[in-house]
Amino acid sequence: MCGIAGAVWTAAGPPLDEHVLRRMTDLLRHRGPDDAGHYRSAVVALDGQAGGGVALGHRRLSIIDVACGHQPLANEDETVWIVFNGEIYNFRDLRRRLEGAGHRFRTTSDTETIVHLYEDEGIDCFRHLNGMFALAIWDARQRQLVLARDRLGKKPLFYRADAQRLLFASELKSILTVPGVPREVDPAAIDAYLTYQYIPHPRTILQGVAKLPPAHWATFRQGRVETGCYWRPDFQREIDRPAGEYREELQATLRDAVRLRLESEVPLGAFLSGGIDSSIVVGLMQREMTRPVKTFSIGFTVPEYDETHYARAVAARLGTEHHEFRVEPRSLEVLPKLAWHFDEPFADSSAIPTWYVAQLAREQVTVALTGDGGDELFAGYDRYQAVRLGSWFDRLPAGLQWPLTTSLWQRLPVDGSQRSWRRRFKRLVGALALPPGRRYLEWIAIFGEARRAALYTDAFLAALPDADPYGFLDAALARSSRRDRVTATALADLTTYLPCDLLTKVDIAAMAHGLECRQPLLDYRVVELAAAMPLRDKLRGRRGKAILRDAFGDLLPPDVLRRRKMGFGVPLAEWFRKELKDYAYDVLLAERALARGYFRRDSIAALVDEHVRGVFDHGYRLWALLVLELWHREWIDGPATLQPAPQALFT
């Protein structure tokens, strides 16, 4: 796993100096602590005159071909150069094919496979890759730079382009270190962030900078950017097959996906939450390995958030070498580091335990397998039950719908708990009158549309464009519009929530410690298989992941097989009423926070006050606002630094 950065510029564009290129890669040294490499070259235009230049930078975390996998790496005649972040799991099969076609290899790395595959197929090469990647290829023959990102968005890639130059990097901070790059906050990005708790691709928090979406490529040639998508599975098509056939194919495919991800020249282990997904991955790993798998779990002092006893039960059954870490309120000391590493506002509070489990794992391994993707692929989230109830509601006659949507239900008393059944029921009923897609957004949003409007100042509302944050989710739902409502929603989560939130969280938290994470459930073969399955194979009664339980039940303890999903949250409600109470007042109502002009003082004060008094649980909302302000203090109020400076955020 690595970090990449660089630029390409036209004859009229500003060149990227050698020292700036090195500074860009220095900011990524946490992603690649083992090696660094740089390449710069002038570009000769078609008329023979100087035509600009190209610069490629790389930081390496050595996993495969530790001795010889230095980058940037070129083909035989040095007309194609690459910097690559990720792992290609089928590179050995591809290499045999390429050698048969006459290509000569100088290394045993997966990176060189991509170079020769690109020589033969151009941008069509990416559809052959099974892996996770973000990469940049300089094609001197075509005088173009090619960027690409893996199918599910496991590896990040940012870029900033105008008619004269394109800058790219694994992390936004690397682009911000280039002189002259503006830091103008995009109001629409803030609106989207407060909706989803992340900023959806291709938008970023800054105007003029984009995230390349998953399964996409981009080219920069003669001052023009073109983009395209190389993988579009048919989410509209459901294939009706006997459950036994699906079960057997899933067993074989996931087993092979795990096997491929065990290739490494450095120690590897796994994250183990005690849930179905990570437990299955660890079980399949243990069957392939001759020694106990090293497993790592995170726990909490608040019992309702702690699932370490399940993880211990799985570890005991499978015979793993198990390690645990307990997150306590004092662990919030990591907040400044999170603000520095995440680059953009990111309000998923499970970044905290993910950070610590990555830190714990890195003490003993360099590669960790995870269970990411199981909930989206196999209908594991509890909220899909609400989606199914909503679809039943939509089939009711209008006369029966009205009593359920009347405002009388909104008068139900609720306690302040985020997990209260009465609160969940009230939220469910309150959105039933909305169209299905908008209804789901209201269920999952941190701040719903009405709450955001009440939060914003008049000036900020006026600065917002007409674009609605809902458009991002709506487009994803449209890709599976002919499927049942639950499947359509889960597949939308697969292309929105998964890459923008879960995979971003894992990538940033793990790479901050120089740890590579691999996700077998997100092998594209598993994804395509799961996407074609009927809902009945996934959701039975009130329990999702039915086919996973059927296919791999022999790996798991009975208690784990029967348990309901807990989620990987943190006890924000309690923290904001105790340890974080004064800090929330001090930061969110500080003059420099309010002077940004986004939010009304009285609205912020009401949120804090209602939460502290226990009137309502605004923990997730306060966390989102706190993270946004800390991001501003790190990246707008002060310059980017080579290392996070914790004290700067608390002054």
Side-chain angles (χ1 to χ4, degrees):
M1 207 56 58
C2 308
I4 64 174
V8 61
W9 57 94
T10 66
L16 192 73
D17 296 334
E18 176 76 19
H19 74 279
V20 176
L21 177 62
R22 290 183 179 275
R23 190 164 66 216
M24 292 177 76
T25 54
D26 284 347
L27 277 168
L28 302 173
R29 65 163 63 101
H30 52 280
R31 301 185 73 93
D34 298 329
D35 190 21
H38 306 87
Y39 168 79
R40 290 183 79 255
S41 177
V43 176
V44 178
L46 296 176
D47 59 5
Q49 302 298 313
V54 61
L56 305 176
H58 188 259
R59 293 289 316 197
R60 187 181 184 212
L61 177 65
S62 302
I63 304 292
I64 296 174
D65 194 7
V66 172
C68 301
H70 180 79
Q71 297 184 43
L73 186 148
N75 64 342
E76 298 94 331
D77 61 6
E78 298 191 348
T79 57
V80 177
W81 285 84
I82 188 172
V83 284
F84 165 68
N85 168 29
E87 299 286 350
I88 305 303
Y89 304 118
N90 64 333
F91 81 97
R92 296 194 185 279
D93 292 339
L94 294 171
R95 178 179 177 129
R96 285 190 288 270
R97 190 183 100 188
L98 291 164
E99 287 175 330
H103 288 281
R104 300 189 309 276
F105 283 75
R106 292 175 290 180
T107 74
T108 59
S109 70
D110 53 346
T111 307
E112 191 173 3
T113 302
I114 305 171
V115 171
H116 297 310
L117 194 62
Y118 175 82
E119 285 185 277
D120 287 358
E121 304 209 17
I123 58 176
D124 286 339
C125 73
F126 305 123
R127 62 190 176 89
H128 297 290
L129 303 179
N130 182 354
M132 54 181 176
F133 58 87
L135 58 82
I137 295 174
W138 169 244
D139 185 340
R141 297 165 300 183
Q142 298 294 324
R143 296 173 178 82
Q144 73 177 2
L145 184 78
V146 180
L147 305 177
R149 194 173 175 207
D150 65 71
R151 289 173 174 85
L152 277 304
K154 301 165 191 170
K155 295 288 104 184
L157 191 55
F158 294 80
Y159 69 95
R160 186 182 191 278
D162 55 34
Q164 298 179 335
R165 183 171 70 176
L166 180 144
L167 303 166
F168 71 89
S170 295
E171 297 181 7
L172 180 58
K173 64 173 67 67
S174 188
I175 293 175
L176 293 182
T177 198
V178 177
V181 171
R183 302 186 186 190
E184 298 178 13
V185 175
D186 182 356
I190 292 179
D191 195 39
Y193 163 74
L194 293 177
T195 302
Y196 293 104
Q197 78 181 4
Y198 57 79
I199 298 170
H201 56 252
R203 195 182 296 278
T204 72
I205 187 62
L206 298 180
Q207 297 183 37
V209 183
K211 290 190 282 272
L212 188 66
H216 276 65
W217 53 262
T219 61
F220 183 86
R221 186 179 183 187
Q222 297 179 347
R224 293 192 301 273
V225 176
E226 293 185 14
T227 62
C229 181
Y230 65 85
W231 183 69
R232 282 194 179 95
D234 187 359
F235 286 167
Q236 301 283 17
R237 187 177 178 218
E238 179 178 295
I239 302 177
D240 192 1
R241 293 167 53 189
E245 289 185 12
Y246 268 128
R247 183 175 63 250
E248 291 177 5
E249 187 172 352
L250 178 61
Q251 288 170 333
T253 306
L254 185 54
R255 192 162 51 238
D256 188 59
V258 170
R259 179 187 60 79
L260 287 175
R261 284 157 180 79
L262 296 181
E263 177 152 358
S264 174
E265 296 178 19
V266 295
L268 56 81
F271 292 174
L272 178 60
S273 69
I276 296 288
D277 309 327
S278 64
S279 299
I280 289 173
V281 168
V282 171
L284 293 175
M285 287 179 69
Q286 193 61 77
R287 285 182 174 177
E288 295 285 336
M289 298 178 67
T290 58
R291 58 182 179 275
V293 177
K294 294 178 183 290
T295 53
F296 306 92
S297 298
I298 289 296
F300 295 92
T301 55
V302 180
E304 64 179 301
Y305 288 85
D306 186 65
E307 41 184 354
T308 52
H309 58 292
Y310 290 113
R312 286 194 294 271
V314 174
R317 181 181 180 93
L318 298 176
T320 73
E321 180 186 321
H322 192 57
H323 307 268
E324 292 181 1
F325 179 85
R326 195 162 297 279
V327 178
E328 299 180 4
R330 60 177 175 77
S331 300
L332 291 171
E333 296 167 1
V334 79
L335 263 176
K337 293 180 181 179
L338 291 176
W340 188 86
H341 278 282
F342 272 86
D343 286 354
E344 293 189 284
F346 183 80
D348 187 339
S349 60
S350 65
I352 295 174
T354 305
W355 172 280
Y356 282 110
V357 76
Q359 184 180 66
L360 176 67
R362 189 61 177 91
E363 293 173 358
Q364 301 198 40
V365 302
T366 310
V367 176
L369 273 62
T370 78
D372 296 307
D375 290 302
E376 293 81 7
L377 293 174
F378 300 103
Y381 292 126
D382 287 344
R383 60 180 181 253
Y384 297 151
Q385 301 288 350
V387 173
R388 184 165 62 172
L389 287 172
S391 66
W392 292 343
F393 168 83
D394 291 336
R395 292 195 291 268
L396 292 174
L400 294 178
Q401 289 184 6
W402 179 84
L404 289 174
T405 58
T406 180
S407 60
L408 291 175
W409 290 102
Q410 298 306 310
R411 299 178 187 175
L412 276 174
V414 296
D415 56 37
S417 172
Q418 188 79 13
R419 300 188 174 192
S420 159
W421 72 267
R422 285 183 297 179
R423 179 175 177 179
R424 290 183 177 187
F425 180 74
K426 187 174 179 179
R427 191 171 187 180
L428 167 69
V429 172
L432 283 177
L434 297 172
R438 179 72 67 163
R439 175 193 303 160
Y440 184 63
L441 181 61
E442 284 296 307
W443 285 339
I444 65 173
I446 300 298
F447 286 88
E449 186 174 15
R451 283 193 179 275
R452 295 198 312 279
L455 191 67
Y456 298 151
T457 63
D458 292 342
F460 187 75
L461 281 169
L464 287 175
D466 292 335
D468 186 337
Y470 171 61
F472 179 64
L473 179 62
D474 191 37
L477 288 167
R479 298 185 194 111
S480 48
S481 58
R482 294 198 295 271
R483 303 292 293 275
D484 65 88
R485 197 75 54 72
V486 174
T487 297
T489 304
L491 292 175
D493 282 343
L494 182 76
T495 56
T496 58
Y497 175 62
L498 180 76
C500 295
D501 187 315
L502 300 184
L503 295 179
T504 295
K505 172 189 68 180
V506 171
D507 174 78
I508 296 297
M511 293 311 300
H513 299 98
L515 178 74
E516 174 180 310
C517 285
R518 300 175 178 177
Q519 295 93 1
L521 284 160
L522 294 178
D523 185 301
Y524 78 93
R525 299 168 300 167
V526 177
V527 171
E528 291 176 352
L529 178 64
M533 290 179 182
L535 181 61
R536 67 171 183 268
D537 293 333
K538 305 175 184 180
L539 188 60
R540 293 187 197 140
R542 298 183 60 195
R543 297 175 67 185
K545 304 183 185 177
I547 194 167
L548 282 180
R549 298 172 199 269
D550 293 346
F552 303 102
D554 60 318
L555 294 172
L556 309 177
D559 286 351
V560 172
L561 265 179
R562 292 191 297 266
R563 66 171 296 203
R564 293 192 60 187
K565 183 173 179 60
M566 179 179 290
F568 200 37
V570 301
L572 289 177
E574 181 172 312
W575 288 356
F576 274 114
R577 292 188 181 110
K578 296 178 181 177
E579 291 84 358
L580 275 181
K581 179 179 69 172
D582 293 338
Y583 185 58
Y585 276 115
D586 292 344
V587 173
L588 298 180
L589 295 172
E591 285 305 316
R592 65 168 159 169
L594 296 171
R596 304 188 195 285
Y598 305 151
F599 309 128
R600 302 175 184 272
R601 176 190 290 271
D602 56 346
S603 297
I604 298 291
L607 283 175
V608 179
D609 183 63
E610 286 180 2
H611 184 86
V612 170
R613 291 191 295 112
V615 174
F616 208 82
D617 182 357
H618 292 300
Y620 291 104
R621 298 186 181 104
L622 295 176
W623 182 258
L625 294 170
L626 180 63
V627 168
L628 179 63
E629 175 56 22
L630 295 183
W631 176 85
H632 275 82
R633 295 188 184 190
E634 178 67 37
W635 294 105
I636 300 300
D637 297 351
T641 57
L642 292 182
Q643 294 294 334
Q647 71 279 4
L649 296 183
F650 293 92
T651 58

